């Protein structure tokens, strides 16, 4: 009974942490695209912090069960980016992971600076973990993740078209990489390094 009670408390902390991390990730994409002049996210109701607007049911379930999943991608129309189109695409792509890094740092500040207990400690620990996992995972240069869009925009024109052709195979490639454990081997050290860096930076604030 005590195990079930403890498990229930962890779920009660982990689930809101996951929903918030996903929501802010997608909202950051949407807000940045609108800032650059693309009204598409606003028209589709994505310029909101309501988690229901951003969740993909299957992707969220897999995140909880298999530690791999996705939210509903924010659709953008780059033809609205009349100024500095490549810079706009890069900044929109990076906005989600950077938002997660910032939120992870805020969670670390609470954990290191205030040393909470109980539910708040559990929530902040999960919030730190989910945000850093989302940031690291989405920065991988594998289509359709955010990192691939950054790489695609930075490539010379001669290589860009060939790289974008890979995007149609991206989801299948990503599934293979995840379920063969290759993503985990890369992601584990990345998340550990990010966690150490973020906790260290938070600790430096309180020196």
């Amino acid at each position: 009974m005590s195990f079930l009670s403890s498990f229930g408390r962890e779920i009660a902390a982990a689930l809101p942490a996951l929903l918030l991390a996903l929501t802010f990730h997608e909202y950051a994409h949407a807000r940045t695209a609108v800032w650059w002049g693309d009204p598409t996210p606003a028209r589709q109701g994505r310029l909101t912090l309501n988690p229901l607007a951003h969740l993909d049911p299957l992707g969220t379930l897999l995140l909880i069960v298999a530690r791999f999943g996705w939210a509903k991608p924010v659709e953008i129309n780059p033809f609205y980016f009349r100024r500095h189109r490549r810079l706009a695409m890069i900044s929109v792509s990076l906005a989600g992971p950077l938002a997660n890094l910032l939120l992870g740092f805020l969670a670390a500040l609470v954990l290191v600076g205030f040393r909470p207990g109980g539910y708040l400690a559990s929530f902040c620990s999960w919030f730190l973990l989910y945000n850093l996992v989302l940031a690291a995972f989405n920065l991988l240069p594998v289509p359709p993740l955010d990192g691939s869009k950054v790489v695609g925009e930075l490539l010379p024109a001669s290589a860009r078209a060939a790289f974008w052709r890979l995007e149609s195979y991206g989801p299948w490639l990503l599934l293979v990489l995840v379920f063969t454990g290759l993503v985990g081997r890369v992601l584990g050290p990345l998340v550990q390094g990010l966690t150490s860096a973020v906790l260290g930076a938070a600790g430096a604030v309180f020196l």
Side-chain angles (χ1 to χ4, degrees):
M1 191 70 177
S2 59
F3 169 77
L4 291 176
S5 177
S6 175
F7 180 75
R9 285 196 297 269
E10 285 302 304
I11 291 295
L15 188 57
L18 174 60
L19 292 178
L20 281 175
L22 287 170
T23 297
F24 274 96
H25 180 99
E26 298 302 332
Y27 175 79
H29 285 311
R31 172 59 68 183
T32 307
V34 168
W35 186 86
W36 279 102
D38 180 7
T40 306
R43 288 173 180 169
Q44 295 184 344
R46 304 301 300 278
L47 206 62
T48 175
L49 289 174
N50 181 353
L52 296 179
H54 303 291
L55 293 184
D56 178 278
L58 178 58
T60 304
L61 178 63
L62 284 174
L63 264 171
I64 297 170
V65 173
R67 297 294 187 264
F68 164 72
W70 54 86
K72 190 191 305 179
V74 170
E75 294 183 24
I76 63 170
N77 186 344
F79 289 104
Y80 284 105
F81 301 148
R82 295 187 178 91
R83 299 179 297 109
H84 311 295
R85 190 199 65 82
R86 292 178 71 185
L87 178 59
M89 285 295 297
I90 290 171
S91 63
V92 170
S93 300
L94 288 177
L98 289 177
N100 289 132
L101 286 175
L102 175 60
L103 291 172
F105 177 66
L106 293 177
L109 282 176
V110 175
L111 289 169
V112 172
F114 301 98
R115 300 186 182 278
Y119 178 83
L120 183 57
S122 184
F123 171 82
C124 287
S125 297
W126 282 109
F127 197 51
L128 173 64
L129 175 64
Y130 279 132
N131 275 290
L132 296 188
V133 168
L134 280 173
F137 179 68
N138 278 283
L139 286 174
L140 296 176
V142 180
L145 300 178
D146 300 324
S148 71
K149 295 177 174 59
V150 174
V151 170
E153 293 298 333
L154 292 176
L155 286 173
S158 58
R160 204 176 304 145
F163 183 79
W164 289 135
R165 280 197 292 271
L166 291 173
E167 192 160 24
S168 59
Y169 305 101
W172 299 108
L173 174 61
L174 192 57
L175 283 172
V176 169
L177 293 175
V178 167
F179 287 107
T180 56
L182 292 175
V183 164
R185 292 177 198 171
V186 174
L187 207 58
L190 276 176
V191 172
Q192 287 180 2
L194 279 175
T195 303
S196 297
V198 167
L199 288 172
V205 171
F206 294 97
L207 286 179

